[in-house]
Amino acid sequence: MIFRVKIYDLTEIFKDTKSKLVKSNIDNGAKVYGIKLDKMKGMIGFEILPNRRIGTEFADIAKKFGLKGILHSDELPNYGISEEEGRMLKEC
């Protein structure tokens, strides 16, 4: 394996979130997972082609595994995710 990736269960951080997107999924039994991508801050939104970003590529891969998409920390605070939740993510 080229990369060693630790998968974090972040569900507890978001159990009382105001984000309708995240909360509705948790309420329906879904979990929130995350990975840390070292040295990628600010890069996920980088446009690699017109209307195509690194985050778009990641989202397409996630969808191949049956997920609806991804959220990344470069987008925060958005989607109803608070600054406090974002801070807790960075502490993981």
Side-chain angles (χ1 to χ4, degrees):
M1 177 180 274
I2 296 173
F3 297 103
R4 290 184 181 223
V5 177
K6 181 176 179 183
I7 300 172
Y8 297 86
D9 184 344
L10 306 171
T11 310
E12 188 65 24
I13 291 174
F14 292 104
K15 68 179 182 178
D16 296 319
T17 189
K18 301 293 185 222
S19 170
K20 292 178 186 177
L21 173 70
V22 176
K23 184 69 170 153
S24 65
N25 282 290
I26 292 173
D27 289 347
N28 287 323
K31 299 279 188 177
V32 178
Y33 294 103
I35 61 173
K36 183 177 181 181
L37 300 174
D38 288 327
K39 301 179 183 177
M40 292 292 291
K41 182 173 177 61
M43 295 297 297
I44 307 300
F46 181 77
E47 192 170 58
I48 55 176
L49 293 169
N51 299 315
R52 198 79 183 150
R53 293 176 173 70
I54 293 174
T56 312
E57 296 294 317
F58 289 160
D60 286 350
I61 292 167
K63 289 174 186 175
K64 295 288 184 190
F65 286 92
L67 302 173
K68 293 181 181 178
I70 65 167
L71 295 176
H72 55 85
S73 60
D74 288 352
E75 298 177 308
L76 301 181
N78 277 332
Y79 304 104
I81 295 173
S82 70
E83 288 193 31
E84 175 66 12
E85 290 163 336
R87 185 191 59 72
M88 290 189 295
L89 288 174
K90 290 178 183 176
E91 292 176 0
C92 290

